[in-house]
Each structure stands twice: as C-alpha cells, then as structure tokens.
Amino acid sequence: MKRLVILLGMLGVVFLPPFVLADDLAGAIKQLDTKSYSKKVKAVNAIGEIDDPRVLDVLLALREGQLYIHKGNKNFVIGRGESSEGLVRIVDAVTGEKLDDIASGALSKIKINNRVRGAARTAISKIQLSAKDKSTRLNAVRNLIKSPDDKLRDLIVAALDNEENSEVIKGLNVALAFIDINSNDKKLRISAIEVLGETVEPRAVTILQDILSKDEEGNSEEEDSEIIRSAEKSLEKIESRTSLYEFIKNLFFGLSLGSILLLAAIGLAITFGVMGVINMAHGEMIMIGAYTTFFVQQLFPNWVGGSILLSIPLAFLASGLVGVVIERTIIRHLYGRPLETLLATFGVSLILQQLARTYNSNNVPVKAPDWLSGSWHINSVLEFNYVHMYIIVFSLIVLAVLTLVLKKTYLGLQMRAVTQNRAMANSMGIRSSWVDALTFGLGSGIAGIAGVALSQIGNVGPNLGQGYIIDSFMVVVFGGVGNLLGTFFGGVSLGIVNKFLEPQVGAVVAKIIVLVFIILFIQWRPRGLFALKGRFVED
Amino acid sequence: MSAEGSILYLSGVTKTFDGFKAINNLSLYIEPGELRAIIGPNGAGKSTMMDIITGKTRPDEGDVLFKNSIDLTKHDEADIANIGIGRKFQKPTVIESLSVWENLELALAGKRSVLDTLFYKLSKSQADRVDEVIDLIGLQQRRNETAKNLSHGQKQWLEIGMLIIQDPELLLVDEPAAGMTDFETMQTAKLLKNISEDHSVVVVEHDMDFVKALDTRVTVLHEGSVLAEGSLETVSNDERVIEVYLGR
Amino acid sequence: MLKDSLLQRLVLSDQGSKFTIAALIVIGVIVPFLNLAMPEGSFLHVSDYSVALIGKYLCFALLALALDLVWGYCGILSLGHGAFFALGGYAMGMYLMRQIGDRGVYGHPELPDFMVFLNWDALPWYWYGFDNFFFAMLMVMFVPGLLAFIFGWLAFRSRVTGVYFSIITQALTAALSLAFFLNDFGFGGNNGLTDFKDILGASLQSNGTRAVIFICSVIALIGSYILCRYIVTSKLGRVLISVRDAESRTRFIGYRVEHYKVFVFTISAVLAGIAGALYVPQVGIINPGEFSPLNSIEVVIWVALGGRGTLYGAVVGALVVNFAKTYFTGSKLFVEYWLFLLGAMFILIPIFLPKGMVDIVDQWKKKHAQSKATEVNSKISGDAQEHTS
C-alpha cells in the first residue's frame, strides 16, 4: 500500500513542475540552519516526511557531515569530495545542480550530534525501506542488521507488514531479531534466538556465546534454561552453516587466485613450456598489458565500460609486438643457451621496469567499469566480487581459445612441428625462425591480455611484473612444462591450497608454505604434475 | 635360457613410452670375452636397450643381470660404470674443454669419490697407462690439444680410449663408425677386435661393411625384440631379416 | 719442494691469479695504512667512507668468487647466492646484536630492542649461543652450508638441472625473503638487525676496528681464492668441468655427479656466508632487503662481466660493476640510468661477450703478440731490403 503511494508520488514528480517540490524541500532544509540540536531533529523529521527523491541525498549528506551552508549566498550545498586543486566539489542540495568548486573556508558545516544522527538514520531507513528498488531496500536491511537500534523497531515491524519480497522479509526478521534478543519478553527472545540460528551473522555468534557464557564458578549467567537450550541449538546451527560457507568462500577465493595465477602463467606456458625459452621479462609483458589498459582509458575518459574491452586486443598487440622484437633482437642469438637467455631477458625486464618508472615512478590509476565493480552478496560470510567472477570466466576463455589456436590453426600446427622437430619442419618449408617469433609473440601477447585483467584487481605500476614472475614460473613448473592442462591444474590447485592455508596461518606464511611445497615437489617429480613422458624428453 | 655363465643376460625385458613399446620381451645372452654386433633398422630399440643396461632407463619388466649375479635395474649410471660396464655414445661425447690427456686421466680406473679426487695425485704407473692408451688410439701428436679441436673421427677414438682406460669388463659401443671415412672405419673395427681379446664387447652398428669386418656373431633387433641371431651370413639369409631390414 | 710446487700450481702458474692476489695484498696493506697514518685532509688520506666502500666491494668480490665456483666451473646457475650471503650476514648480525647488551634503547639486559618492542619475554632458542663469537662464526658458515647441502642434495639427487635449478633457487630466495620480513620470525622483521655497538669488545665506530675488519676481508678473499684455486686445479676441478660440459658422460665414466655438485654447491654457499658476515659490520645493518631476488641475480652479472670460469674474472667483475654502480647511483644526473645500464649489461654480455672481460684482455694480448710478431718480421724484411738497396 505504502509503495503504491510512493509510486503515485513519483508519478507526481513527473507531472508537477519540480520547483513546487523543491520549495517544500527548500523550506524544510532551511530549518537546519539553527544552533539548537532539538530543532535540527525536528527539521530532519520534517524533511523525512517529504516525498522527494532528493531527500535521501540531503539526509545521507547530513549524516556523513557533507551538508554545508554556502557562506556567501546562504544556500545549502552537498560536498562531493575534493578536486585536484584542493577545492571542494559541491552541488546544490535543493536543485542538485552542479556548482563551481569552492574553497572549504567558504562553507560552514551543519553540525550534528548523536540525536540528530539518530533521527537522520531513522528517516533514511524509512525512505530506503519503502524504496521501489529492491536492492536499495536490501541495503537498508543490511545496515539495520549491522547496527541494530531499538528505536527503529516500529519502523521494521511496519516495513514487514508492507514487504512482499522474501529476501527482504528474511533480512527484516533478522534485523528484528537483533533488537528482540535484548527484549525482556521471554517469548520474543526465544523466537529471536531461533531466527538468529538461521543466519550466519558473526555478531549472532557473539550474542549467543554471551548468553551461554559462564561466570567464574561455572554457573551460567543466563538463568532461564529454556533460553540456554535454544541458544545452544542455534549456535550449533550457525557454526555448522558458517563452516560450510567458509569452505565455499575459501574455494571461491582459491579459484579466483588460481585463475589469476593461471592468467599470469598461461603466456609463460607458451614461451617456456612450448618453446623452452626462459623469459624473465614475462612479468613486464603483463605490465605492458596493464599499462595499455591505462592508456586506452586516458584516450576515452568517458567510456570506461567499453574501453576495457577495447584494451584486450590492443594489449595483446602491444605485448605481442614487444615480444616479437625481443625474440628477433635478443633471444634469437641465444637459442640452445638457456641460462644466457635467462640473463638477457632479465636485462629486458630491468629496462622495461625502468622505462615505466621513468614515465611515472608511482602507480597509475586504472578505473574499473561499473559492470565489474560491486559484488554478489549472499550473506555476511559469502560475498562474491564481480571482478573475481569475471576473471575466473575470462581465464577459462583465454585457456580455451589458446588451446584451439594450438590445436586447430595452421600457426598452431607449425608451432608444434617446429618444437618437435626443427630440422624436419624446415625441410618441409616452414620458416622456423618466423614461427619462433610468432610463438614468442603469442605467449607475450597473452601475458598482455592477462595484464588487462590484472589491472582490475591490483596496482598498475613499474613493479607489477615482479609480483607475478616467480608465481608464474612456479605454476608452469608445478603443472608440467609444455602442457596447458598442467598449467591449468597447477594454477588452480596452488590458488586453492593457498586460500585454504591463509585463514590458518596468515597470508605470508601460506605463501611461504606453498613455495616450499613446490620446491620439494620438484625434487619428487622434476617434470611437474603432468609430465610429458617419452624417450626424447630427457635429451 | 638361464643367466649362468653369462656376462650380460637380458630376459623378457619390456619398456613402453606413452603406449609405444620401444623394447618388447627382449632377451639377450652375452658370454664373457664375446664380441657381439647388434644391428637393426631405426627404432628397433637399440639405444633404449643400451639405456636400460647402463641404468639410464628403468625397464617396465624383465631381468637384466651382469655376471649372473648383479641386478642392473637396481643401480644407476655411476654405479653400473663402477661395476664394470663402459659405454660409448652414438654421438661422440668427450669433455670438450679438457685436453686429450685430461679426458683420459678422468676416465682412468680409480677411486671416484669427491675427497679422493680433491686430494688426487697421479702415480707414475698411471701416467704411463694414459700415455699407453694415447698411443693405442693414435693421438700422440695431439695429447695436449683441447678436445673440442679434435676432428669427428678423433673424438670417436678418444671416446673409445676413455672406455678402454676405464677398464670395464663389458663395453657397449653405439655406432662407433658413424661419420668416419672408410679407412677410419676399418681402423676402428681392428681396434675393437683388439679390445675384445680381453674384454666383452657389444657393438651396435648400421654400417654392414663394418659389421662384416668385425666378423663375429650378429643379433638382429626388430620392433624391440630379437628377430634373428647367428653369423652375419646366417642372418643375411634369414627371410624375415631380409624382409624387415635388408630387403627394403 | 712440495710447497714450491703447490704455490706454483695455485698461484704462479696463472697470470690472472698472480696479479689478482698481488693487487689484493697491496690493497690490504695500503688502504688501511693511508687511512690511519695519513692526516685527514692530506692528499694521500683515504677517507673512512672509502675504506668502508672498498671493504664492501671486497665482500661482493668474495660472493662473486663463490658463485663462479659453481656456475663457471660446474655449470650450476644459482639465483640464490644472495640468500646464502644474507644468512651469513644475519648470523654475524645476531652476534653483534647480542654484544649490544643493555645498551639498547630499552636497556633490556638480554633481549634485543626489537624483541622488547614485540613484548617477547625470552630469547628464542635459535638465538642461544650467538653471544659467543666463535659459535656465531661457526654458524656463519654452518647455516648457509647446511641449507645448501640439504637443498642441493634434494635437487641434484632428483637431477633437477639447468634453468629448473635456477628457478627453484630463486623460489627459495623468495620464500626466505618473505619469511625474514615477518616480525614473528624473530630476526627483526622489516628493519632487520642494526645499531651495532662493538665486536669482540672493540668499538665498531673506531677506525682501528674498521681497518682490522677491512684487513680480515682481504685475507678472507685471498684465502678463499686460494681454496678455490686448489679445488679447480685438482682432479676434482676437472670432474666439475666434465659435469659442466657433459653431465651424463661423467656419470657413465662412473662419477657420482650429484655428490660433486652438492660438494661444490655447499662450499660455495659457505664462502657466500662468510662474505655476508664480513659485509654486515662494515655497513652496520642487515635487513631482509638482502634477500631480494634482484640481489642474487646481480651477482650473476658481476661474474658474467668479469668472465666466468676464471676466478679472477669474478673478482674483477664484482669490483668493476660495483664501482660503476656507486658512481652512477651517487650522482644525481645518472641515477636513473643505472638500471638501464645494468639491464643493458644483462642483455649484451651473453650475446657479445659470453666469456667476459678477461676474454677481451686475452684477445688483445693475442693480437698484440701477433702484431708484434709481424712487426718484427716486417722489420727484419725491411732491414733486409735496406741491405740489398
């Protein structure tokens, strides 16, 4: 019912001239210009009653301390962060119109205390809970769960009456339970305990543990045995569900790390795995891809969503081209001398890093498009970032395309011919030197593509490549050289092992353990997980 | 056939690489003091057989016995070399940065442990032995030459010399005549016949003139197992041999 | 007689070694003398800064020598020698830490400052004994040696060779670097060990002590050089070359290649540890930055530039590259170019100068000898012509 009213109100916005509403808001907002906090509370309550989509902005700004009065014209403005010149970016609070940046000294902040903040909070929750958009309502519920406030109980109960979406209802019930758990009514408490038992909120665990806690003599602090029993049951439920979700979470983050490792290593699987060339500048090929993303974004500053897609082929070309040049000018002279190749490509890596540093010694900002930001929130334990989900998918696509290129294209056929028997391939008219250059270019280009993806999850700067080089080699060596399937399993399994170790021992120690494990593993199976077997392998 | 009285005995040896049977139920019996030539087309499994005897490759199944008592599948290359089996590779492999003299000194029979070599002192008799072998392989003029400056044939001889000075009971020689002139080939055949007077020798070879010059018992390998055995004349007349090897 | 022939074998028979050792002896005598005896401001005075700098280079030269022994002679390219160096350095650092006693900022009689800061109440067991100089010096050699022995034994036994070995030594270095950055690891975390006061009761700030440490570095370098010469000129040295040139041939002759590799790798790690131990008192600090993979791989380029497989090449290479580094990074104008130059060295040396600088000298000598010969010839013929005319 209430939503219907809001709907009508919003229709009204369309038909009525906006200044009428703006006047309403403009009138109410003026009441905030007072020293008395109780008057401010009243003003907030009045503003909360206005049916206007801009009210929310004003209240949020007030709560965040971003609502100001312009000292010159006494208009209300909302601060929107600092500009590059150190001025405050502002918009008009009533009209929403963008105004010229202004020095912070020309603004006076609307000061609030806890009571005002509470009033703003109630008003905000009320508006959000009655929003038409489901995700806004869900966000509001999540905030209520995060910081329960018994003053909002009536609001929640009212919202429950009007709510139709089951997910929101569930959330509201939990929010209610967090309030009712402290109630004096035993029935309410028990039902709250039961509701909490269906969640995985870490705070529910703390509350339930508090109920179950015992004093020094071993007596329960809670007197009611029924409540104790039901708390025990709920706690057990939460804990078993949480451990399941924790497992899924570790698995997801493991897969995510694995796909990152896979992306970083997959180009190396070509240059090192197929060609046997040690390319210590592989990390810098990734870096070039990441910088390409940055430059494309500089060219199309208003087209972040699409420019990242454009970056993928461009990064492939950029890194691939650099790869071909490195192969033609340096590596070509060093075939059959792997240790020297290692040193020379390390030199390339130093120079490329230093070039990036000469351009800009700091990290460069790469923006994330809207469709990559945000996450899929399932509950307080499980939350999947879109960017990580996309990277998992992306890495699999890259792997699949690469496999197809190797297996189905003429270039792939030539590559395999040259790596298996160079002399024979030459005598059949394959120009092996060009195949070498293209293969190396392919491996480098794929590293560039990886760079586009990795620019979305980490810093893009001169040191980006160094962070990946050792891991990439470990993945390829662990998986088995010359074997894309091995690289896939190598990356994914190392990622998962790492993420399952992390909660036990911490990130750094987990990484050390994985490194030591690989070092030992290589002793046991020097050819990696998926070793090629055969007479000629050893020679 | 039992291993009794043999210096080298292979029975039912099989080795598979990725589904390809390089060696298939191979059996071989070499007597002490014997000179045996092994021939066979490419891919007959000759090199794999050598690898198995010298411990480079482990067979999937089968027995490989040395002197009827030592199970060679239980030892690695260095062990087997010290037990008394020497091997010459198809491609001549000598230590390129060392001189002819140093190459032979390195191969000279003696203690092989780290500390022994660290405090090693060459005795007069050992030095004489090195010179003797240099004479035998005809490299007197080049004794202080770095090995990488030798011709292909000289490298082959140097490697044979290293094999002799190692003083193994059994020598495995893989295509010693490859890349040699006719004259060198005949010289090499003569050398091997000399050696076989007080060693057992197994020679793998393609060159039929060379095998003829060796004038000894021949084993024909085909698809990883023994196809025929006997004098060169006998096997040359064997129809199956003609079909798979000589005939084509 | 025996002594003479040994000296002949180790030093005199090799031009490069003869010059290197002679030059080191001269440096070891003259530098401390000019530092201590000449008044400051005198033209001949060698500043304290220079003494420390040259001392540092000598430690690097020892590190390069150690790497050359395994890489130049046995073909094992280790990208982990920086780690052995750092381990030796940490062992020395621990001794110096314990010598501070209660003179630290917190004044705790036993615990180093960083432990007090972390609220530890007792010394971890692996710090026991490090207050004793001789025990610490034993550990300087034992810890890197043991690590190299175990690591090498595992790797060489499974026949991990070539670039595979290089990569896993780099992984080892990376793992150690991560570990030493941890506070809980018990080695001062990020900040490492520093604020040293004295060594064997002598103040580290005094010129005399510094001169003694300098001379120790020279002696250690000469001693290690002669030890390496003994190894490479023995039959074992020829086995190492044989492993480098034709590993599987060496096995078929009957040498246990893995034993030789473990032996030389361990010796080399011990020498690297000694270098690290001498380095720490001269620079006054050891921190996890020393484990950086870049450090380890930089050593490789010293050896490559100087000329691997010749011990003096490694020494010369280390000195040349580090002088260049100090020069470039010391001047504001060039500091940006140093990494470009270093990168260029990595690229150009393997392609154009695979045998290093000593090869240029050899080539030049040969040419010189030839041109001298032709000169003499032409002179003779010229004389002859003069006579006939």
Side-chain angles (χ1 to χ4, degrees):
Chain A
M1 187 56 208
K2 198 166 188 175
R3 281 164 69 194
L4 192 67
V5 172
I6 292 172
L7 195 66
L8 286 175
M10 290 179 89
L11 283 173
V13 174
V14 179
F15 295 114
L16 293 172
F19 63 83
V20 176
L21 282 165
D23 273 355
D24 260 7
L25 181 57
I29 207 172
K30 287 245 162 61
Q31 305 302 315
L32 284 170
D33 188 7
T34 167
K35 284 230 159 76
S36 152
Y37 286 115
S38 30
K39 281 187 184 158
K40 281 184 188 171
V41 170
K42 273 188 195 140
V44 169
N45 290 340
I47 293 172
E49 291 303 317
I50 300 173
D51 261 344
D52 184 314
R54 291 194 191 111
V55 164
L56 192 56
D57 272 354
V58 172
L59 291 176
L60 284 171
L62 177 70
R63 195 181 68 183
E64 307 298 328
Q66 290 293 331
L67 189 65
Y68 302 94
I69 296 176
H70 193 296
K71 280 182 183 165
N73 54 22
K74 296 290 172 194
N75 279 345
F76 281 78
V77 298
I78 293 172
R80 288 269 190 259
E82 212 167 274
S83 74
S84 48
E85 289 91 33
L87 301 174
V88 181
R89 293 203 182 95
I90 51 170
V91 297
D92 190 288
V94 180
T95 61
E97 186 188 344
K98 169 111 185 59
L99 304 172
D100 292 337
D101 297 348
I102 191 168
S104 55
L107 299 172
S108 93
K109 191 195 268 186
I110 309 287
K111 295 199 181 87
I112 55 173
N113 65 359
N114 276 343
R115 268 174 57 218
V116 182
R117 196 176 287 118
R121 209 191 122 121
T122 312
I124 290 168
S125 303
K126 197 167 156 190
I127 294 170
Q128 285 179 333
L129 280 178
S130 51
K132 196 173 159 242
D133 180 27
K134 186 190 107 189
S135 64
T136 312
R137 299 206 303 277
L138 268 178
N139 262 327
V141 169
R142 240 168 251 150
N143 281 329
L144 288 174
I145 293 175
K146 244 181 241 160
S147 38
D149 182 349
D150 45 8
K151 290 192 204 81
L152 295 180
R153 186 168 193 275
D154 296 340
L155 188 65
I156 295 172
V157 174
L160 264 172
D161 282 346
N162 292 314
E163 187 57 59
E164 284 158 10
N165 181 286
S166 64
E167 205 177 336
V168 181
I169 292 177
K170 214 176 138 192
L172 284 169
N173 275 323
V174 175
L176 197 59
F178 271 118
I179 296 169
D180 286 350
I181 193 95
N182 296 322
S183 152
N184 293 326
D185 182 341
K186 184 178 156 191
K187 246 191 189 161
L188 272 183
R189 280 189 83 188
I190 289 190
S191 76
I193 288 171
E194 276 162 7
V195 169
L196 290 185
E198 300 302 319
T199 68
V200 287
E201 297 296 330
R203 270 195 29 258
V205 176
T206 338
I207 290 174
L208 294 174
Q209 277 169 345
D210 275 352
I211 293 177
L212 294 175
S213 64
K214 289 174 180 170
D215 62 17
E216 280 155 19
E217 280 139 44
N219 300 321
S220 292
E221 280 169 8
E222 175 64 48
E223 285 160 13
D224 194 317
S225 62
E226 204 176 331
I227 286 186
I228 291 180
R229 244 179 291 129
S230 106
E232 273 169 352
K233 223 163 100 188
S234 284
L235 191 60
E236 206 172 286
K237 264 184 175 169
I238 295 179
E239 275 168 354
S240 73
R241 198 169 315 108
T242 305
S243 65
L244 174 70
Y245 285 137
E246 287 283 347
F247 179 83
I248 296 174
K249 184 176 108 181
N250 286 338
L251 199 65
F252 172 75
F253 279 106
L255 275 178
S256 160
L257 177 63
S259 64
I260 292 165
L261 290 174
L262 174 63
L263 266 181
I266 201 165
L268 204 65
I270 301 286
T271 51
F272 180 46
V274 178
M275 296 176 81
V277 171
I278 300 292
N279 182 15
M280 295 297 276
H282 176 77
E284 280 60 42
M285 302 292 118
I286 297 176
M287 180 190 83
I288 290 173
Y291 271 92
T292 307
T293 320
F294 170 72
F295 287 126
V296 172
Q297 282 188 354
Q298 296 296 300
L299 278 181
F300 305 101
N302 299 317
W303 191 48
V304 177
S307 69
I308 192 151
L309 295 178
L310 178 65
S311 304
I312 293 173
L314 289 180
F316 179 83
L317 287 180
S319 297
L321 200 67
V322 174
V324 169
V325 170
I326 294 173
E327 201 279 341
R328 283 290 83 187
T329 52
I330 297 167
I331 294 172
R332 184 166 67 99
H333 302 288
L334 298 170
Y335 279 117
R337 290 157 65 195
L339 296 180
E340 276 88 345
T341 314
L342 187 158
L343 295 180
T345 51
F346 183 78
V348 174
S349 132
L350 279 183
I351 288 178
L352 289 175
Q353 273 175 42
Q354 191 62 12
L355 274 176
R357 223 167 269 138
T358 313
Y359 169 72
N360 184 347
S361 59
N362 296 319
N363 293 336
V364 295
V366 174
K367 295 190 201 86
D370 292 338
W371 52 275
L372 270 180
S373 30
S375 60
W376 178 27
H377 182 101
I378 293 176
N379 56 42
S380 60
V381 179
L382 272 191
E383 185 165 358
F384 299 142
N385 299 329
Y386 289 133
V387 64
H388 284 138
M389 303 205 305
Y390 274 107
I391 284 182
I392 292 176
V393 174
F394 185 66
S395 66
L396 293 178
I397 293 174
V398 172
L399 182 70
V401 170
L402 190 62
T403 314
L404 281 181
V405 167
L406 289 183
K407 290 243 160 94
K408 301 284 180 197
T409 64
Y410 187 58
L411 174 68
L413 182 70
Q414 288 187 325
M415 272 167 53
R416 281 179 291 143
V418 169
T419 46
Q420 277 168 26
N421 192 334
R422 180 170 293 268
M424 183 66 91
N426 278 338
S427 69
M428 287 168 65
I430 296 173
R431 288 181 62 186
S432 63
S433 63
W434 270 109
V435 175
D436 285 337
L438 288 180
T439 313
F440 198 80
L442 177 68
S444 306
I446 286 174
I449 291 182
V452 178
L454 300 181
S455 75
Q456 293 298 314
I457 52 160
N459 292 332
V460 176
N463 298 330
L464 179 137
Q466 284 179 306
Y468 288 106
I469 183 72
I470 291 182
D471 288 342
S472 306
F473 270 108
M474 290 298 112
V475 167
V476 174
V477 169
F478 176 67
V481 170
N483 191 326
L484 284 184
L485 189 72
T487 310
F488 171 74
F489 277 106
V492 169
S493 52
L494 291 182
I496 289 177
V497 168
N498 210 323
K499 283 296 170 187
F500 273 90
L501 282 173
E502 263 181 28
Q504 319 292 328
V505 294
V508 178
V509 178
K511 199 148 189 248
I512 296 172
I513 292 177
V514 168
L515 276 177
V516 171
F517 164 74
I518 296 173
I519 291 170
L520 294 176
F521 178 85
I522 301 294
Q523 328 293 343
W524 175 53
R525 291 190 70 159
R527 301 272 149 201
L529 211 54
F530 288 79
L532 291 178
K533 283 178 229 146
R535 270 178 78 189
F536 304 107
V537 170
E538 271 182 53
D539 303 323
Chain B
M1 196 157 49
S2 89
E4 213 150 302
S6 68
I7 182 140
L8 180 68
Y9 173 78
L10 276 70
S11 170
V13 175
T14 299
K15 177 71 195 177
T16 310
F17 292 111
D18 284 342
F20 167 70
K21 279 201 168 167
I23 296 284
N24 186 9
N25 196 17
L26 176 73
S27 297
L28 197 69
Y29 184 98
I30 309 284
E31 280 173 37
E34 187 180 345
L35 170 63
R36 174 75 63 92
I38 292 182
I39 60 174
N42 268 332
K46 294 167 304 204
S47 293
T48 308
M49 182 192 78
M50 296 281 223
D51 286 348
I52 287 174
I53 297 169
T54 52
K56 192 177 175 200
T57 305
R58 298 251 176 279
D60 300 333
E61 49 186 288
D63 298 328
V64 184
L65 293 181
F66 183 61
K67 294 202 284 189
N68 189 21
S69 56
I70 301 164
D71 182 355
L72 293 179
T73 63
K74 298 253 183 324
H75 295 272
D76 69 359
E77 297 101 312
D79 263 350
I80 290 173
N82 289 322
I83 288 167
I85 298 181
R87 175 177 185 180
K88 198 201 100 39
F89 288 90
Q90 192 171 335
K91 194 172 151 255
T93 33
V94 292
I95 316 305
E96 303 257 326
S97 328
L98 295 181
S99 71
V100 168
W101 207 91
E102 285 169 330
N103 264 284
L104 291 168
E105 183 209 13
L106 207 63
L108 182 65
K111 286 185 181 156
R112 298 286 202 239
S113 85
V114 173
L115 290 182
D116 284 324
T117 51
L118 183 57
F119 302 113
Y120 178 81
K121 281 233 153 23
L122 193 73
S123 71
K124 177 80 176 65
S125 67
Q126 285 171 317
D128 289 346
R129 174 72 185 143
V130 173
D131 284 328
E132 201 180 304
V133 174
I134 289 186
D135 285 346
L136 185 69
I137 57 175
L139 293 176
Q140 302 93 324
Q141 306 297 318
R142 321 209 61 174
R143 65 197 296 269
N144 292 323
E145 187 75 67
T146 312
K148 67 173 164 239
N149 298 330
L150 297 180
S151 75
H152 184 83
Q154 286 169 330
K155 280 185 192 171
Q156 295 273 35
W157 280 334
L158 174 56
E159 204 184 355
I160 293 172
M162 287 165 77
L163 210 57
I164 296 169
I165 206 165
Q166 197 181 328
D167 200 24
E169 290 178 64
L170 171 68
L171 284 80
L172 303 176
V173 189
D174 201 349
E175 300 197 19
M180 283 190 171
T181 63
D182 287 350
F183 175 72
E184 283 172 334
T185 305
M186 289 308 128
Q187 289 288 106
T188 308
K190 220 167 90 187
L191 186 61
L192 283 179
K193 279 204 77 83
N194 266 338
I195 295 168
S196 72
E197 278 167 19
D198 39 10
H199 299 87
S200 313
V201 182
V202 175
V203 188
V204 166
E205 191 46 77
H206 266 319
D207 187 331
M208 290 316 280
D209 291 333
F210 180 78
V211 175
K212 209 173 276 171
L214 286 181
D215 183 27
T216 185
R217 195 174 164 83
V218 174
T219 299
V220 184
L221 283 194
H222 177 58
E223 291 179 350
S225 47
V226 175
L227 187 69
E229 216 168 79
S231 71
L232 184 60
E233 208 176 328
T234 328
V235 299
S236 310
N237 293 327
D238 187 309
E239 276 185 19
R240 289 174 307 168
V241 174
I242 293 171
E243 194 187 327
V244 304
Y245 186 42
L246 304 166
R248 264 189 282 173
Chain C
M1 174 65 203
L2 180 75
K3 244 186 180 169
D4 282 353
S5 73
L6 197 60
L7 191 66
Q8 174 74 24
R9 170 183 143 193
L10 297 182
V11 182
L12 301 178
S13 66
D14 184 51
Q15 286 275 324
S17 299
K18 213 160 63 182
F19 283 126
T20 308
I21 288 181
L24 287 176
I25 292 173
V26 171
I27 290 174
V29 173
I30 285 192
V31 170
F33 174 77
L34 293 183
N35 173 247
L36 295 176
M38 289 294 150
E40 223 161 298
S42 149
F43 170 67
L44 287 170
H45 178 74
V46 173
S47 70
D48 297 351
Y49 171 75
S50 303
V51 173
L53 199 65
I54 299 170
K56 203 170 94 176
Y57 295 159
L58 292 173
C59 298
F60 288 152
L62 178 50
L63 176 59
L65 187 73
L67 183 71
D68 193 24
L69 186 65
V70 280
W71 184 37
Y73 288 88
C74 200
I76 302 167
L77 178 56
S78 160
L79 300 182
H81 263 54
F84 299 132
F85 180 83
L87 285 174
Y90 264 97
M92 175 60 109
M94 286 161 84
Y95 164 74
L96 296 174
M97 265 336 238
R98 295 298 309 273
Q99 290 308 295
I100 297 174
D102 58 5
R103 286 169 294 172
V105 177
Y106 295 107
H108 194 286
E110 180 145 271
L111 297 188
D113 275 350
F114 74 88
M115 292 188 193
V116 181
F117 183 73
L118 290 174
N119 287 325
W120 291 12
D121 43 11
L123 210 58
W125 62 267
Y126 45 83
W127 274 74
Y128 290 161
F130 276 91
D131 48 341
N132 179 311
F133 181 75
F134 294 99
F135 177 79
M137 292 311 103
L138 202 65
M139 288 297 125
V140 160
M141 297 185 270
F142 182 73
V143 172
L146 183 71
L147 178 67
F149 180 81
I150 294 173
F151 186 81
W153 184 73
L154 286 170
F156 299 134
R157 195 189 45 135
S158 336
R159 301 199 184 167
V160 175
T161 54
V163 289
Y164 280 85
F165 185 80
S166 306
I167 291 171
I168 63 165
T169 51
Q170 196 175 32
L172 175 79
T173 313
L176 281 171
S177 156
L178 288 174
F180 273 81
F181 268 112
L182 287 177
N183 277 333
D184 296 341
F185 207 56
F187 297 99
N190 218 342
N191 302 321
L193 310 177
T194 187
D195 293 334
F196 308 132
K197 302 278 192 256
D198 47 28
I199 183 167
L200 286 172
S203 165
L204 274 171
Q205 309 309 320
S206 97
N207 285 349
T209 317
R210 289 178 156 272
V212 170
I213 296 174
F214 182 91
I215 292 169
C216 286
S217 304
V218 174
I219 292 172
L221 182 54
I222 294 176
S224 306
Y225 192 96
I226 288 174
L227 174 73
C228 290
R229 278 291 294 171
Y230 186 85
I231 292 174
V232 303
T233 53
S234 70
K235 186 173 173 188
L236 187 142
R238 293 191 284 280
V239 177
L240 295 181
I241 290 175
S242 167
V243 170
R244 180 190 74 191
D245 284 3
E247 179 167 336
S248 96
R249 183 87 206 111
T250 317
R251 286 183 206 282
F252 285 115
I253 302 175
Y255 291 98
R256 293 218 146 271
V257 168
E258 56 275 22
H259 291 185
Y260 284 84
K261 284 184 167 177
V262 170
F263 171 79
V264 75
F265 192 59
T266 307
I267 294 274
S268 173
V270 168
L271 294 182
I274 294 173
L278 288 162
Y279 172 82
V280 169
Q282 301 190 67
V283 296
I285 184 169
I286 175 83
N287 63 33
E290 295 297 333
F291 284 101
S292 138
L294 176 62
N295 279 16
S296 290
I297 202 165
E298 235 186 276
V299 187
V300 177
I301 211 64
W302 306 342
V303 178
L305 178 75
R308 64 185 138 126
T310 63
L311 296 170
Y312 54 90
V315 173
V316 171
L319 299 181
V320 168
V321 176
N322 281 296
F323 268 114
K325 186 177 185 176
T326 306
Y327 177 73
F328 270 81
T329 53
S331 82
K332 278 216 174 94
L333 211 56
F334 296 132
V335 64
E336 298 225 337
Y337 298 105
W338 166 246
L339 280 176
F340 284 124
L341 183 73
L342 189 65
M345 281 199 282
F346 272 104
I347 298 172
L348 298 177
I349 292 169
I351 298 178
F352 296 108
L353 204 60
K355 288 182 186 163
M357 280 172 21
V358 296
D359 192 47
I360 303 184
V361 178
D362 286 351
Q363 297 286 345
W364 180 80
K365 262 195 204 154
K366 249 186 213 165
K367 247 191 204 155
H368 195 69
Q370 265 172 14
S371 65
K372 227 176 191 175
T374 49
E375 213 170 88
V376 171
N377 281 340
S378 63
K379 206 170 180 193
I380 291 169
S381 58
D383 285 351
Q385 260 169 19
E386 226 163 74
H387 279 289
T388 48
S389 61

